[in-house]
Amino acid sequence: MERLAKRIRTISPSQTLAISAKAKAMKANGENVINFGVGEPDFPTPDYIVEAGIQALRSGKTKYTPSAGLPELRRAICEKFERDNGLEYEPSQIIVSNGAKHSIFNVCYALVDEGDEVIIPVPYWLTYPEVVKTCGGVPVYVEGSKDNGFKITPEQLEAAITPKTKLLIFNSPCNPTGAVYSETEVRALAAVCEKHDIFVLSDEIYEKLVYGETKPFSMAAVSEKMKELTITVNGVSKTYAMTGWRIGYLAAPKDIAKAIDSFQSHATSNACSVSQYATIKALSSPEAAVEEMVARFARRRIAMVERISEMQRAFCIIPEGAFYAMLVVSGVYGKKFGSRVISDSATFADTLLDAAKVAVVPGAPFGADDCVRLSYSLSMEDMLEGLNRIDAFLNSLD
């Protein structure tokens, strides 16, 4: 008899966390490691949000809340959707959870039955297929070509749909590629989903971290029918540098929201009460601090892309959002560092960390084994030094 359930045996550990843990251990031992692996802003949570959390503590707001979240927070989220996305929701359609990852699990658990197919564009955030598999679903991968900025086309989506297709997981701006779909591109994909009555989980956690001319457009804003097929996931982790506060949320059709609330009430109950009060402040305040953070990310993005363009053995597709770039390193596969053969993204990342004290995330867990993911959520000085080390490492391979 197996000790572990089948659903848990299929799950792979997060390699983003693994590479970060190894880098932190090396730093703790006094090694000068530059870490491109982190998936969180390197800025502190803005003071006014922190103060709101402190005030909640001092006011004794440390009790249970409704499982779906504080009524006043759910109203604030409705206001955010109307203000930023042109979408009208009632508070009953909002579920507040312990981070956007929790919201994504809730959506899949509510919609995906055993054997249902879930379309996932490639490259993808590595958690998507693991959640789908946990819920009994079957990931179906559709590769976004580099020539199209890692984005999939309506024709590709159409070709992937079968009678078993239940859900499309759509992420724009995208982790790990930084790709941003235009309104025209979103509408074209939505037309395919409407035609086949396919649900969409639209992960918009990076929506305010955009830098190019293309601006994100919410899938649910395409039409009333699309709104009924879309569950939008968002949160405060990336926009407000609140990763540790663990607040995510979703907006869904009423029946789906009600089902998710029932499930969450048994699985985890409410998200942290103090974090919820801080989130109300985050969503209802002027965003000067957010704009400054985005401006600094924008400067780093330009500097990263310019430095990579000087590399002879690697290149990247220019990211338009989030704070990542996919560095294409497959040109050095088969080459050696000492006795080590660089055969894939995992051996590249592991050898780079040992040899140059630079941490990157292998592309394989994102479905892109020809790449490694770089985050520009680190200081400009460290970022440029790290890129210099990567270039030197690439040139040392033979």
Side-chain angles (χ1 to χ4, degrees), residues 7-264:
R7 60 181 171 271
I8 205 71
R9 297 200 307 270
T10 65
I11 304 305
S12 304
S14 170
Q15 288 197 31
T16 56
L17 297 179
I19 199 77
S20 182
K22 182 175 179 179
K24 287 178 180 178
M26 292 172 67
K27 271 193 169 184
N29 288 332
E31 298 184 66
N32 180 17
V33 175
I34 294 176
N35 190 358
F36 286 100
V38 290
E40 62 181 346
D42 58 319
F43 307 104
T45 304
D47 288 343
Y48 62 93
I49 299 173
V50 174
E51 287 302 319
I54 292 170
Q55 184 57 41
L57 286 167
R58 288 176 174 161
S59 301
K61 295 176 178 177
T62 56
K63 306 297 184 182
Y64 291 131
T65 75
S67 57
L70 290 163
E72 53 266 52
L73 174 54
R74 293 160 83 187
R75 286 194 296 271
I77 292 169
C78 288
E79 291 169 2
K80 174 260 177 271
F81 274 116
E82 186 169 8
R83 180 178 65 244
D84 294 345
N85 311 106
L87 291 166
E88 292 187 9
Y89 289 104
E90 298 175 9
S92 63
Q93 296 177 268
I94 306 298
I95 308 294
V96 179
S97 301
N98 299 285
K101 186 182 291 189
H102 184 197
S103 296
I104 289 165
F105 180 86
N106 282 346
V107 174
C108 290
Y109 196 81
L111 293 181
V112 178
D113 273 322
E114 194 74 28
D116 283 345
E117 293 179 352
V118 178
I119 295 174
I120 303 175
V122 181
Y124 47 77
W125 183 43
L126 53 82
T127 291
Y128 294 147
E130 305 304 328
V131 170
V132 169
K133 290 185 289 185
T134 300
C135 295
V138 179
V140 175
Y141 302 109
V142 177
E143 186 167 356
S145 74
K146 295 181 183 66
D147 291 340
N148 195 38
F150 289 115
K151 294 181 283 189
I152 67 167
T153 66
E155 293 76 18
Q156 287 179 294
L157 177 58
E158 180 81 44
I161 291 173
T162 76
K164 293 184 178 181
T165 304
K166 185 68 175 290
L167 177 69
L168 164 68
I169 297 182
F170 182 70
N171 179 210
S172 175
C174 177
N175 174 11
T177 65
V180 181
Y181 287 75
S182 69
E183 179 177 344
T184 299
E185 290 169 326
V186 172
R187 289 186 179 277
L189 294 173
V192 178
C193 295
E194 288 183 333
K195 174 183 174 183
H196 295 278
D197 287 321
I198 304 300
F199 284 106
V200 177
L201 189 168
S202 184
D203 181 354
E204 301 179 9
I205 190 71
Y206 293 95
E207 70 169 337
K208 296 198 176 181
L209 302 182
V210 290
Y211 319 104
E213 294 183 2
T214 304
K215 302 303 178 187
F217 184 76
S218 289
M219 182 73 72
V222 167
S223 67
E224 280 303 312
K225 180 175 181 180
M226 202 63 232
K227 187 179 176 184
E228 280 298 303
L229 289 172
T230 301
I231 302 88
T232 302
V233 170
N234 210 319
V236 295
S237 293
K238 314 299 182 179
T239 299
Y240 302 98
M242 293 177 68
T243 50
W245 296 77
R246 307 313 303 135
I247 294 291
Y249 55 84
L250 62 84
K254 290 182 180 179
D255 59 331
I256 296 174
K258 183 178 180 181
I260 290 174
D261 185 19
S262 296
F263 169 60
Q264 182 166 291

